Amino acid sequence: GENVEQHPSTLSVQEGDSAVIKCTYSDSASNYFPWYKQELGKRPQLIIDIRSNVGEKKDQRIAVTLNKTAKHFSLHITETQPEDSAVYFCAARRDSSYKLIFGSGTRLLVRP
Amino acid sequence: DGGITQSPKYLFRKEGQNVTLSCEQNLNHDAMYWYRQDPGQGLRLIYYSQIVNDFQKGDIAEGYSVSREKKESFPLTVTSAQKNPTAFYLCASSSPRGTSTEAFFGQGTRLTVV
């Protein structure tokens, strides 16, 4: 079945450094790839997403890249700040099925 | 507050009892989802529904049941057949066919079975 693998499970960076989280998906028909941020005790919230017809998308300090051939996509956070500390989830979905599959999450810690 | 509401926030049940978690949305979304969140295991899909009166099993459907009698509601029943039901349960909804395909989550229900 469909599967999304996410690495690393934990990531610690110094404030101001960059952070990269990587995901690999198994279903080659997947065409929508969102990223969610979950702060402690709160619900996951969408921070950025990308469709399969686009290779890269940026929103201020956050960017996502997609390599359809290799079936992997990555989240890039530049100039990290302590408030970026949270658990980040990648996900994949094909529009025809609505089935939204998540990765196992990455706990990001930004050290002041 | 996002338009999707889960209740209750905390739920305690005795082992062997069935329990139903509520999820209601007023976003007019077609699709609704139930996920289970355990530490270090991310969000695992239990069931999802694309439309009223239709739902599909996710990766960990055993021991759970759902219904979708109304577009706004997607309750989840945790049955006594679920071997390890203590977990954090998240409901979500989305409208994949629309211009905005974002999935919105409820605040979650923490179920503890004793």
Side-chain angles (χ1 to χ4, degrees):
Chain A
E2 302 94 331
N3 185 48
V4 177
E5 293 188 358
Q6 183 172 347
H7 301 280
S9 57
T10 58
L11 180 60
S12 180
V13 300
Q14 194 71 37
E15 182 178 358
D17 288 349
S18 295
V20 180
I21 302 171
K22 300 181 179 181
C23 289
T24 304
Y25 59 98
S26 61
D27 182 6
S28 57
S30 295
N31 54 7
Y32 174 65
F33 307 93
W35 284 89
Y36 283 79
K37 175 183 181 182
Q38 186 179 29
E39 296 177 353
L40 189 63
K42 296 188 177 181
R43 71 187 81 189
Q45 292 192 302
L46 181 75
I47 55 171
I48 195 167
D49 56 12
I50 191 169
R51 288 200 164 272
S52 57
N53 57 350
V54 176
E56 183 176 3
K57 184 177 179 180
K58 290 183 179 180
D59 183 2
Q60 299 182 338
R61 298 186 296 108
I62 293 173
V64 57
T65 58
L66 172 65
N67 183 328
K68 284 193 301 181
T69 303
K71 291 191 289 186
H72 67 69
F73 56 113
S74 300
L75 178 70
H76 305 254
I77 305 174
T78 59
E79 301 173 18
T80 53
Q81 301 168 4
E83 52 264 39
D84 293 330
S85 296
V87 178
Y88 291 81
F89 293 98
C90 62
R93 192 196 73 208
R94 57 162 84 176
D95 285 343
S96 59
S97 77
Y98 293 18
K99 189 176 183 181
L100 184 62
I101 300 297
F102 283 83
S104 55
T106 296
R107 184 172 299 277
L108 173 64
L109 174 64
V110 180
R111 306 186 305 274
Chain B
D1 191 20
I4 180 164
T5 303
Q6 287 184 244
S7 62
K9 191 173 182 179
Y10 299 97
L11 191 55
F12 295 87
R13 278 296 181 269
K14 291 184 178 180
E15 192 172 343
Q17 290 182 334
N18 291 356
V19 61
T20 297
L21 281 59
S22 170
C23 179
E24 303 277 335
Q25 54 100 359
N26 61 4
L27 301 168
N28 199 33
H29 284 169
D30 292 321
M32 296 188 74
Y33 307 83
W34 274 106
Y35 293 91
R36 170 176 173 146
Q37 186 172 25
D38 295 289
Q41 295 198 47
L43 302 172
R44 292 186 291 168
L45 183 63
I46 304 173
Y47 270 97
Y48 67 105
S49 169
Q50 302 178 26
I51 198 170
V52 174
N53 293 324
D54 181 68
F55 47 83
Q56 307 295 326
K57 291 183 178 180
D59 300 322
I60 57 166
E62 186 175 351
Y64 300 97
S65 66
V66 294
S67 63
R68 188 84 186 278
E69 298 177 0
K70 299 186 299 181
K71 188 175 186 178
E72 302 79 14
S73 179
F74 192 42
L76 172 75
T77 297
V78 184
T79 75
S80 56
Q82 168 52 232
K83 300 300 181 187
N84 185 21
T86 294
F88 187 57
Y89 292 88
L90 282 162
C91 178
S93 71
S94 71
S95 197
R97 291 178 179 173
T99 55
S100 174
T101 55
E102 176 179 355
F104 291 88
F105 283 85
Q107 287 186 309
T109 294
R110 187 166 298 280
L111 173 65
T112 302
V113 176
V114 296

